[in-house]
Amino acid sequence: MSRVPGWLGRVGAGISKVGERLDERRAEAERDEDEPGRRRTSPSSDETDGASGDQVPAPPAYAPAVSPRPEPVAAVPWGLRVAAEAGWRLLILAGAVWVLMKVISSVQLVVFAFVAALLITALLQPTVARLRRHGVPRGLATALTAILGFVIMGLVGWFVVWQVQENIDTLSDQVQDGIDELRKWLLNSPFHVTEDQINDIAKQLRDAIGANTNAITTAGLEGVTVIVEAMTGILLAMFSTLFLLYDGKRIWEWTLKLFPAQARPGIAGAGPRAWRTLTAYVRGTVIVALIDAIFIGLGIFFLGVPMAVPLAVFIFLFAFIPLVGAVVSGALAVVVALVTQGVFTAVMTLAVVLAVQQIEGHILQPFILGRAVRVHPLAVVLAVATGSMVSGIGGAVVAVPLVAVTNTVVGYLRSWSQEASLRHAPAPHGATATPVAPVAPPSDSTSTD
């Protein structure tokens, strides 16, 4: 028990010595940090409290100067920011278009039937309006115009089928004779075609037909479904045409209610202009197609080409596909002339087709269509190609009027927005603002009145 106090004393002395050494080292460190020639001042109570809080000690004098980092938005170049802003908006727009195309493809029959009804209505609506101006009631004018239009279209289709059935046997014999003559001409031509080469080509054709017999049979079975769908589309187009002719104005007024209130004045003005463009396109296309069919049909008739009238009807129908339709129908007439009447008649048929199409492209279309439908040829080619890739022949027929109507609508909305911005612009300082009446939408519409 006598040793315990001595031991505690030694431990206390050791701790005291350690504390003294720590105080000496702390003082030396403080002297090293002080700048030479500057007396160190003791920090105040506020600085002591701040140093223990959020403040950071100042860097030493030998540390390099570091500039603060800019904000991330300021560090991105202006061009890159604009490209990114436009990029994500384009992605959203492309996604919306993709969804819309998916929806349209799922109800493709309904969409094509309604578009066909719009085109037929654009063709028949002037007749209904003319009857209404002569005092005929709306229902009777619509019924007379629709019945007359559908009867004419039905008679044209029946006439084509009847002519093909009446001339199919004669045409097959003439085709066989034409093939034999073409074979003889190839053997005696300067192209140095041999009998073995012709036989090889014929054998390959027979093998291809034999290998695809199952596919041809399947296509024949699927033709029943195609006929049912075609009949459904025709009936739907007929009913839609009747309602558009009879009640087009109220349908358009109801459609306007689907748009926001601020956009309705512009849409109300763009709609009638789009309808005039569509009407001018359909009417001009029908007139041009009729002229092509008449003159090319007369040319191949006097050249002795069989089935001149059905070929003229095909030329009329294919004329609704810009550029491509004229090439296909003209090539069909030339092929029939080649296999039935020989090379000379085929060359003359080609000359007739090219002459009529050149007159059509450079004189008839600019004169008949005028300024109502003005689309660049490159836009026509791209529209037809895109429409045919998306929806086949129907897409190729619809593509050009869709582009023409879109061009008219966009041009009008751009002008309308500029006028609206000028109307709502503040008056200059010191000038008296003159009230400007709002632009009323045009009185014309899709009504049959």
Side-chain angles (χ1 to χ4, degrees):
M1 296 296 293
S2 60
R3 295 181 179 180
V4 174
W7 177 75
L8 289 175
R10 288 193 299 271
V11 171
I15 292 174
S16 299
K17 292 180 180 179
V18 172
E20 293 175 357
R21 292 177 181 176
L22 289 176
D23 292 338
E24 293 176 357
R25 291 181 179 178
R26 188 179 298 110
E28 292 177 359
E30 290 177 355
R31 286 194 300 268
D32 293 339
E33 291 179 358
D34 290 339
E35 294 181 358
R38 181 177 179 181
R39 185 171 59 86
R40 181 176 178 84
T41 58
S42 61
S44 62
S45 60
D46 295 337
E47 293 176 352
T48 304
D49 296 338
S52 62
D54 298 334
Q55 292 184 357
V56 179
Y62 57 83
V66 179
S67 59
R69 292 185 178 181
E71 292 293 330
V73 176
V76 179
W78 181 82
L80 184 59
R81 291 175 60 185
V82 172
E85 296 261 346
W88 69 260
R89 286 179 171 83
L90 288 176
L91 287 177
I92 293 177
L93 182 61
V97 172
W98 182 80
V99 172
L100 180 62
M101 295 301 297
K102 285 294 183 182
V103 173
I104 291 176
S105 62
S106 62
V107 290
Q108 189 173 7
L109 179 63
V110 178
V111 173
F112 276 136
F114 184 73
V115 171
L118 280 177
L119 296 177
I120 297 173
T121 304
L123 180 63
L124 300 180
Q125 190 268 337
T127 304
V128 177
R130 191 174 296 108
L131 292 176
R132 291 284 293 140
R133 286 194 296 269
H134 286 81
V136 181
R138 182 191 304 176
L140 181 59
T142 301
L144 290 176
T145 304
I147 291 173
L148 181 62
F150 292 143
V151 167
I152 291 175
M153 287 185 286
L155 288 177
V156 170
W158 169 81
F159 181 76
V160 173
V161 175
W162 174 62
Q163 285 291 315
V164 172
Q165 289 179 350
E166 287 291 326
N167 295 279
I168 189 66
D169 295 333
T170 305
L171 181 62
S172 61
D173 296 336
Q174 290 180 346
V175 167
Q176 185 62 41
D177 296 338
I179 292 174
D180 293 338
E181 293 181 2
L182 180 62
R183 181 177 180 177
K184 294 178 182 177
W185 181 80
L186 289 174
L187 290 174
N188 298 324
S189 66
F191 298 107
H192 304 290
V193 180
T194 63
E195 184 78 21
D196 294 336
Q197 291 176 343
I198 296 177
N199 293 332
D200 291 339
I201 294 173
K203 183 177 181 301
Q204 291 176 3
L205 291 175
R206 287 193 298 267
D207 293 341
I209 295 175
N212 295 319
T213 302
N214 294 330
I216 295 174
T217 305
T218 305
L221 295 176
E222 292 178 352
V224 178
T225 305
V226 173
I227 292 175
V228 173
E229 292 181 354
M231 294 301 298
T232 304
I234 291 173
L235 293 177
L236 185 59
M238 291 175 63
F239 280 108
S240 300
T241 303
L242 286 174
F243 284 110
L244 288 173
L245 288 174
Y246 180 77
D247 218 5
K249 183 177 181 180
R250 276 182 284 189
I251 293 174
W252 170 243
E253 292 175 351
W254 177 85
T255 305
L256 281 178
K257 297 178 181 179
L258 300 177
F259 295 93
Q262 296 180 351
R264 287 176 192 172
I267 301 297
R273 287 167 173 78
W275 183 252
R276 286 201 298 267
T277 299
L278 182 62
T279 304
Y281 173 81
V282 175
R283 189 184 307 169
T285 303
V286 169
I287 295 174
V288 172
L290 188 61
I291 294 174
D292 284 352
I294 291 175
F295 284 97
I296 295 178
L298 289 175
I300 61 179
F301 174 78
F302 287 114
L303 289 174
V305 179
M307 292 199 310
V309 177
L311 286 175
V313 175
F314 278 117
I315 291 171
F316 173 80
L317 296 177
F318 276 97
F320 285 90
I321 306 176
L323 301 179
V324 179
V327 174
V328 173
S329 59
L332 179 62
V334 173
V335 169
V336 172
L338 177 64
V339 298
T340 57
Q341 300 296 324
V343 178
F344 177 76
T345 305
V347 173
M348 296 301 298
T349 303
L350 179 61
V352 171
V353 170
L354 291 178
V356 173
Q357 290 180 356
Q358 289 298 317
I359 295 174
E360 168 215 330
H362 293 87
I363 299 176
L364 295 180
Q365 284 190 354
F367 178 75
I368 295 174
L369 296 180
R371 296 181 178 271
V373 182
R374 177 163 292 183
V375 182
H376 196 274
L378 178 60
V380 173
V381 174
L382 295 178
V384 172
T386 304
S388 61
M389 291 174 62
V390 173
S391 300
I393 297 178
V397 173
V398 175
V400 176
L402 179 61
V403 170
V405 169
T406 303
N407 185 30
T408 301
V409 171
V410 171
Y412 174 80
L413 291 179
R414 185 187 298 113
S415 301
W416 181 83
S417 62
Q418 292 175 356
E419 293 178 1
S421 62
L422 291 176
R423 289 196 303 268
H424 294 88
H429 181 69
T432 303
T434 303
V436 180
V439 178
S443 60
D444 54 347
S445 64
T446 59
S447 66
T448 58
D449 297 338

